[in-house]
Amino acid sequence: MAIIEIKNLKKVFTTKNDKLVALQDINISIEKGEIFGIIGLSGAGKSTLVRMINFLERPTEGDVYFENKNIGTLNAKELRNIRKEIGMIFQNFNLLEQKNVLKNVLFPLEISGAEKETSIKKAKELLELVDLSDKEKSYPSQLSGGQKQRVAIARALATNPKVLLCDEATSALDPKTTNQILNLLKRINRELGVTVVIITHQMSVIENICDRVAILDQSRVVEMGAVNEVFKAPKSDIGKKLIFGATENKDVDFEKSNNKTCLRLAFDGSMTNEPIIADMVLTTKHSVSILYANSRMIDGKMLGQIIIELPDDKEIQLKMKQFLDSKNIIYWEV
Amino acid sequence: MFLAIDLSLYITAIKETLFMTFVSSFISYVIGIPLGVLLYSTAKDGLTPNSAVYNFLSLLVNIFRSIPFLILLILILPITRVLVGTTIGAKAVIPPLVFSASPYIARMVESSLKEVDLGVIEAAKSMGATNFQIITKVLLSESKPSLLIGAAITITTILGYSAMAGAVGGGGLGDVAIRYGYYRYNQDIMLITVVLLVIIVQLIQELFMGIARKSDKRL
């Protein structure tokens, strides 16, 4: 069942002499219990999109449904109550600097008018969950980035939300801390059943913990699907760029000579036993050069890619493509 | 030497000065904080942007801030009479001080609140906080150190203005300095009152800065 449904969403920012379409034709349905990632380059409209889920930003057009309730039709009080069911964490943590860790976690309970003693008990449990029990009297300025984000997570969970929105939650953190936070989010998802929505520009975040992903480019969703599917064969240009282009290997730098036809082959773990390239060469009786290859684990599945340079002869090229088609290999020209 | 003979003169003057300063500071803050919050909230990036209200308040505040204190003191004499029943003495100085300080405080408060990170306010909103809760539990509490530093500046400024109270026979150290020191050209009294004023300003400044430093958890 979809917990969040975004329908035909559009956001236009109107400045004095200009109209900027930040988002348009957005249709996303986020299932209960999943970890959903939204990725895009900066300026793609990711942060605006996540803010329209809890109506921190109002859509210009379109609707957002939370558990089948149209958020746009709620009055101020109903909206505030919905927000208590949707926790949110941020890139810059946004902790109350003048309050200690415990009081930060207590804050959402305090504004909900919850009873003090049960609140304190709840806050301490959450600090235990994020492994910060020993820091409850510390102030945010005394904590590291990762610790601050853990406090923010505990705070966001205080009102027992059904959804946790993460706006670039790991972008200000180093890789090791990022992994700790991602593992924590995964645990919260698995153990507490909280649906997690992650906004990021880091492919590794999606790769690590997301079940499904939507790729945002130039104010639209250009691609959406299960993470291993999308990673295996991204269809959109931006998807290819995000997945194969700017990875930690910087593999875009393979040396492609001019006018040569190159193919990028994507394959998953089920085919790694088959000598595809060798078979192709034997079948077509023509050799190819391998310019680049890599493989990685995504969600427990091995995904790989190879870039090959084809001979110039168009006929041979066609034969090779036909061979790949017959083996159900996904490829495209690069 | 007047020092020994008129010790009571100084004590009375100090009491009057502190009375005028703290009573008017207190009242001014009671008016200035809500006014500052209103300015902050109705401004363009505020909680409830409302340019009509903002522009009106902003103009009002600027008008009162631009009238020289001595002129204001005389200008509002009728109001002073209604409010405190007299136009002379330390009490009579309080209304003009309040009129002059409240808009000043409103601006100080507005600028302190503006220092609060918008992200923190957004976080509070995402938790379902009402605007009133954001003001009381986020804005005012997060900007406390800045507000205290503002108070140190404001109160010492009010103290300085209160010295002009001599013009309406208001009493206080400033009055003594003018009447005995300036008009009668008694340099000793002039010097002593000035030194006393410096000490009081120094004490207030240090006290508030100390509290601000101590209460600031960011350091």
Side-chain angles (χ1 to χ4, degrees):
Chain A
M1 197 195 86
I3 189 160
I4 294 167
E5 243 181 301
I6 299 169
K7 283 188 179 163
N8 301 318
L9 208 66
K10 183 174 186 178
K11 177 73 182 180
V12 181
F13 287 111
T14 317
T15 57
K16 236 174 216 163
N17 34 25
D18 212 9
K19 272 193 174 176
L20 178 81
V21 180
L23 290 167
Q24 56 189 326
D25 304 326
I26 307 287
N27 286 289
I28 296 175
S29 162
I30 296 167
E31 301 297 318
K32 199 171 165 59
E34 73 174 333
I35 303 184
F36 192 92
I38 297 171
I39 189 167
L41 302 174
S42 54
K46 311 182 291 281
S47 286
T48 310
L49 178 56
V50 74
R51 277 166 180 71
M52 288 198 286
I53 294 176
N54 58 3
F55 264 54
L56 285 176
E57 287 280 1
R58 282 193 166 265
T60 313
E61 282 172 32
D63 298 303
V64 178
Y65 294 86
F66 176 75
E67 293 190 317
N68 298 320
K69 278 182 288 242
N70 187 339
I71 299 182
T73 61
L74 303 178
N75 65 32
K77 189 170 179 232
E78 290 168 331
L79 175 61
R80 286 198 300 272
N81 286 334
I82 284 275
R83 282 178 178 164
K84 287 170 190 167
E85 301 192 46
I86 307 175
M88 189 168 185
I89 58 172
F90 305 84
Q91 177 170 7
N92 298 319
F93 324 121
N94 294 346
L95 297 178
L96 296 150
E97 299 277 332
Q98 305 293 350
K99 287 188 164 68
N100 68 26
V101 166
L102 184 66
K103 286 193 171 148
N104 262 285
V105 181
L106 280 171
F107 183 77
L109 296 165
E110 192 187 327
I111 60 174
S112 304
E115 202 252 324
K116 200 165 180 190
E117 246 168 73
T118 45
S119 298
I120 291 175
K121 193 166 161 269
K122 173 84 186 166
K124 290 194 172 180
E125 278 170 21
L126 285 165
L127 284 174
E128 202 158 314
L129 175 80
V130 300
D131 204 16
L132 280 176
S133 294
D134 53 330
K135 297 280 183 197
E136 62 176 59
K137 293 273 184 293
S138 303
Y139 285 88
S141 61
Q142 299 163 316
L143 303 178
S144 70
Q147 289 171 328
K148 283 183 197 172
Q149 197 59 290
R150 270 144 62 194
V151 176
I153 291 170
R155 184 176 70 170
L157 294 175
T159 48
N160 291 324
K162 294 173 180 148
V163 175
L164 182 62
L165 305 176
C166 310
D167 181 24
E168 296 277 9
T170 57
S171 300
L173 305 174
D174 61 64
K176 197 178 156 216
T177 318
T178 295
N179 278 335
Q180 286 171 1
I181 295 294
L182 293 179
N183 286 335
L184 178 60
L185 291 174
K186 205 169 195 167
R187 241 183 83 203
I188 286 160
N189 172 258
R190 304 283 186 259
E191 287 174 20
L192 307 178
V194 176
T195 307
V196 179
V197 180
I198 291 180
I199 298 290
T200 184
H201 67 272
Q202 297 166 304
M203 213 59 220
S204 57
V205 170
I206 303 283
E207 185 176 334
N208 265 321
I209 68 165
C210 292
D211 299 315
R212 288 198 304 143
V213 61
I215 301 175
L216 223 57
D217 186 36
Q218 296 185 339
S219 79
R220 291 170 199 269
V221 174
V222 291
E223 198 164 350
M224 182 157 60
V227 169
N228 48 16
E229 295 293 320
V230 172
F231 267 68
K232 197 165 74 182
K235 292 178 191 74
S236 60
D237 288 343
I238 190 76
K240 288 171 190 168
K241 197 170 155 193
L242 281 167
I243 292 162
F244 297 125
T247 61
E248 49 272 36
N249 299 322
K250 296 263 182 280
D251 69 28
V252 271
D253 297 333
F254 71 90
E255 279 176 44
K256 184 186 169 195
S257 30
N258 289 338
N259 308 322
K260 289 282 184 187
T261 309
C262 292
L263 291 187
R264 192 190 291 267
L265 318 182
F267 53 89
D268 63 23
S270 58
M271 303 174 192
T272 40
N273 313 336
E274 266 186 81
I276 303 283
I277 304 290
D279 281 352
M280 183 176 76
V281 170
L282 288 173
T283 313
T284 58
K285 307 262 187 323
H286 282 276
S287 60
V288 294
S289 12
I290 294 174
L291 300 179
Y292 175 85
N294 92 340
S295 62
R296 50 175 146 173
M297 293 290 284
I298 290 158
D299 203 15
K301 272 191 178 174
M302 178 68 82
L303 294 184
Q305 54 163 328
I306 300 175
I307 297 172
I308 52 173
E309 190 181 278
L310 305 185
D312 289 334
D313 191 325
K314 294 277 178 214
E315 237 170 83
I316 300 164
Q317 285 183 12
L318 190 68
K319 270 189 192 166
M320 288 181 164
K321 284 178 186 172
Q322 280 165 348
F323 175 83
L324 293 171
D325 287 336
S326 72
K327 294 279 177 192
N328 286 325
I329 304 287
I330 297 150
Y331 64 88
W332 58 92
E333 281 189 30
V334 286
Chain B
M1 262 309 260
F2 274 84
L3 185 60
I5 314 161
D6 279 344
L7 195 62
S8 65
L9 179 82
Y10 296 110
I11 291 171
T12 315
I14 290 171
K15 275 185 191 164
E16 282 170 340
T17 292
L18 292 178
F19 170 75
M20 283 187 288
T21 305
F22 282 105
V23 171
S24 26
S25 296
F26 178 76
I27 301 171
S28 302
Y29 262 96
V30 169
I31 299 168
I33 289 177
L35 203 56
V37 168
L38 213 55
L39 278 168
Y40 173 87
S41 303
T42 55
K44 216 162 68 193
D45 297 322
L47 296 169
T48 52
N50 185 327
S51 58
V53 174
Y54 181 81
N55 291 336
F56 172 75
L57 286 177
S58 186
L59 181 71
L60 197 74
V61 160
N62 286 349
I63 289 172
F64 275 96
R65 283 184 57 204
S66 47
I67 303 174
F69 180 68
L70 260 178
I71 310 285
L72 190 79
L73 188 77
I74 295 154
L75 209 63
I76 65 156
L77 277 178
I79 302 174
T80 304
R81 197 193 310 275
V82 172
L83 287 175
V84 295
T86 175
T87 54
I88 50 165
K91 257 200 319 195
V93 190
I94 290 169
L97 278 175
V98 169
F99 268 87
S100 168
S102 307
Y104 183 72
I105 291 169
R107 285 291 186 210
M108 289 284 229
V109 170
E110 183 193 9
S111 100
S112 291
L113 298 185
K114 273 188 178 160
E115 289 169 23
V116 177
D117 186 353
L118 288 174
V120 178
I121 295 163
E122 191 177 42
K125 276 189 193 166
S126 79
M127 292 173 219
T130 62
N131 283 340
F132 185 73
Q133 285 171 328
I134 291 173
I135 290 165
T136 53
K137 293 180 192 291
V138 179
L139 286 168
L140 291 174
S141 98
E142 285 293 291
S143 61
K144 201 164 81 188
S146 170
L147 288 170
L148 284 165
I149 292 168
I153 299 168
T154 309
I155 294 171
T156 49
T157 306
I158 292 175
L159 184 85
Y161 280 180
S162 80
M164 291 184 220
V168 290
L173 285 169
D175 188 30
V176 171
I178 290 169
R179 278 195 289 138
Y180 293 82
Y182 184 65
Y183 294 151
R184 298 188 197 171
Y185 208 68
N186 187 323
Q187 283 190 330
D188 288 347
I189 291 188
M190 177 79 101
L191 193 70
I192 290 165
T193 48
V194 168
V195 168
L196 284 173
L197 279 169
V198 169
I199 292 171
I200 293 172
V201 166
Q202 191 69 23
L203 284 176
I204 293 174
Q205 180 78 23
E206 283 306 310
L207 177 72
F208 276 82
M209 293 305 275
I211 301 172
R213 256 195 310 275
K214 236 189 146 173
S215 76
D216 195 348
K217 307 301 183 192
R218 284 172 300 183
L219 307 172

